Short mmCIF file of all heavy atoms in Angstrom, two decimals:
data_model
loop_
_atom_site.label_atom_id
_atom_site.label_comp_id
_atom_site.label_asym_id
_atom_site.label_seq_id
_atom_site.Cartn_x
_atom_site.Cartn_y
_atom_site.Cartn_z
N SER A 8 1.37 20.00 0.31
CA SER A 8 2.56 20.81 0.47
C SER A 8 2.23 22.17 1.13
O SER A 8 2.98 22.69 1.96
CB SER A 8 3.22 21.05 -0.84
OG SER A 8 3.76 19.84 -1.33
N SER A 9 1.10 22.74 0.80
CA SER A 9 0.73 24.05 1.31
C SER A 9 0.46 23.95 2.83
O SER A 9 0.76 24.87 3.57
CB SER A 9 -0.50 24.61 0.63
OG SER A 9 -1.58 23.72 0.74
N VAL A 10 -0.04 22.80 3.27
CA VAL A 10 -0.38 22.59 4.70
C VAL A 10 0.90 22.45 5.54
O VAL A 10 1.01 23.02 6.61
CB VAL A 10 -1.38 21.50 4.89
CG1 VAL A 10 -1.51 21.13 6.34
CG2 VAL A 10 -2.71 21.80 4.28
N LYS A 11 1.83 21.68 5.03
CA LYS A 11 3.02 21.47 5.80
C LYS A 11 3.91 22.70 5.91
O LYS A 11 4.67 22.84 6.85
CB LYS A 11 3.86 20.29 5.23
CG LYS A 11 4.47 20.53 3.94
CD LYS A 11 5.18 19.23 3.45
CE LYS A 11 5.76 19.41 2.09
NZ LYS A 11 6.28 18.13 1.56
N LYS A 12 3.71 23.66 5.01
CA LYS A 12 4.40 24.90 5.10
C LYS A 12 3.79 25.88 6.14
O LYS A 12 4.43 26.75 6.66
CB LYS A 12 4.47 25.64 3.75
CG LYS A 12 5.28 24.91 2.71
CD LYS A 12 5.12 25.55 1.34
CE LYS A 12 5.68 24.69 0.27
NZ LYS A 12 5.38 25.20 -1.06
N ARG A 13 2.45 25.76 6.34
CA ARG A 13 1.76 26.75 7.09
C ARG A 13 1.33 26.35 8.52
O ARG A 13 0.98 27.20 9.33
CB ARG A 13 0.46 27.17 6.31
CG ARG A 13 0.78 27.97 5.05
CD ARG A 13 -0.46 28.17 4.24
NE ARG A 13 -0.27 29.08 3.11
CZ ARG A 13 0.24 28.72 1.96
NH1 ARG A 13 0.55 27.45 1.72
NH2 ARG A 13 0.44 29.60 1.03
N PHE A 14 1.30 25.08 8.80
CA PHE A 14 0.71 24.59 10.08
C PHE A 14 1.73 23.60 10.70
O PHE A 14 2.47 22.91 10.02
CB PHE A 14 -0.61 23.88 9.85
CG PHE A 14 -1.67 24.76 9.20
CD1 PHE A 14 -1.88 24.68 7.83
CD2 PHE A 14 -2.37 25.65 9.93
CE1 PHE A 14 -2.82 25.50 7.23
CE2 PHE A 14 -3.32 26.49 9.33
CZ PHE A 14 -3.58 26.40 8.02
N ARG A 15 1.62 23.55 12.07
CA ARG A 15 2.37 22.55 12.79
C ARG A 15 1.40 22.00 13.84
O ARG A 15 0.45 22.64 14.26
CB ARG A 15 3.54 23.17 13.59
CG ARG A 15 4.60 23.69 12.70
CD ARG A 15 5.75 24.23 13.53
NE ARG A 15 5.28 25.25 14.43
CZ ARG A 15 6.08 26.04 15.17
NH1 ARG A 15 7.34 25.92 15.03
NH2 ARG A 15 5.55 26.95 15.97
N LEU A 16 1.76 20.76 14.33
CA LEU A 16 0.97 20.15 15.40
C LEU A 16 1.68 20.30 16.74
O LEU A 16 2.86 20.17 16.78
CB LEU A 16 0.77 18.62 15.11
CG LEU A 16 -0.21 18.28 13.96
CD1 LEU A 16 -0.37 16.76 13.90
CD2 LEU A 16 -1.56 18.90 14.25
N THR A 17 0.90 20.55 17.75
CA THR A 17 1.49 20.64 19.13
C THR A 17 1.65 19.21 19.65
O THR A 17 1.21 18.19 19.03
CB THR A 17 0.58 21.44 20.08
OG1 THR A 17 -0.66 20.78 20.14
CG2 THR A 17 0.38 22.86 19.50
N GLY A 18 2.20 19.07 20.82
CA GLY A 18 2.40 17.78 21.42
C GLY A 18 1.10 17.08 21.71
O GLY A 18 0.98 15.86 21.67
N SER A 19 0.05 17.85 22.03
CA SER A 19 -1.25 17.25 22.37
C SER A 19 -2.11 17.06 21.17
O SER A 19 -3.31 16.70 21.28
CB SER A 19 -1.97 18.16 23.38
OG SER A 19 -2.15 19.48 22.90
N GLY A 20 -1.60 17.43 19.96
CA GLY A 20 -2.34 17.19 18.75
C GLY A 20 -3.16 18.36 18.22
O GLY A 20 -3.91 18.22 17.24
N LYS A 21 -3.05 19.49 18.86
CA LYS A 21 -3.72 20.69 18.32
C LYS A 21 -2.95 21.27 17.18
O LYS A 21 -1.73 21.04 17.02
CB LYS A 21 -3.91 21.72 19.45
CG LYS A 21 -4.77 21.24 20.57
CD LYS A 21 -4.89 22.27 21.66
CE LYS A 21 -5.70 21.76 22.82
NZ LYS A 21 -5.71 22.70 23.94
N VAL A 22 -3.60 22.08 16.35
CA VAL A 22 -3.00 22.63 15.15
C VAL A 22 -2.65 24.08 15.47
O VAL A 22 -3.44 24.92 15.86
CB VAL A 22 -3.97 22.56 13.95
CG1 VAL A 22 -3.28 23.16 12.74
CG2 VAL A 22 -4.34 21.14 13.65
#
Side-chain angles (χ1 to χ4, degrees):
S8 294
S9 58
V10 170
K11 68 184 176 187
K12 293 172 191 173
R13 289 172 172 85
F14 302 98
R15 292 183 306 190
L16 288 182
T17 62
S19 59
K21 296 178 181 175
V22 179

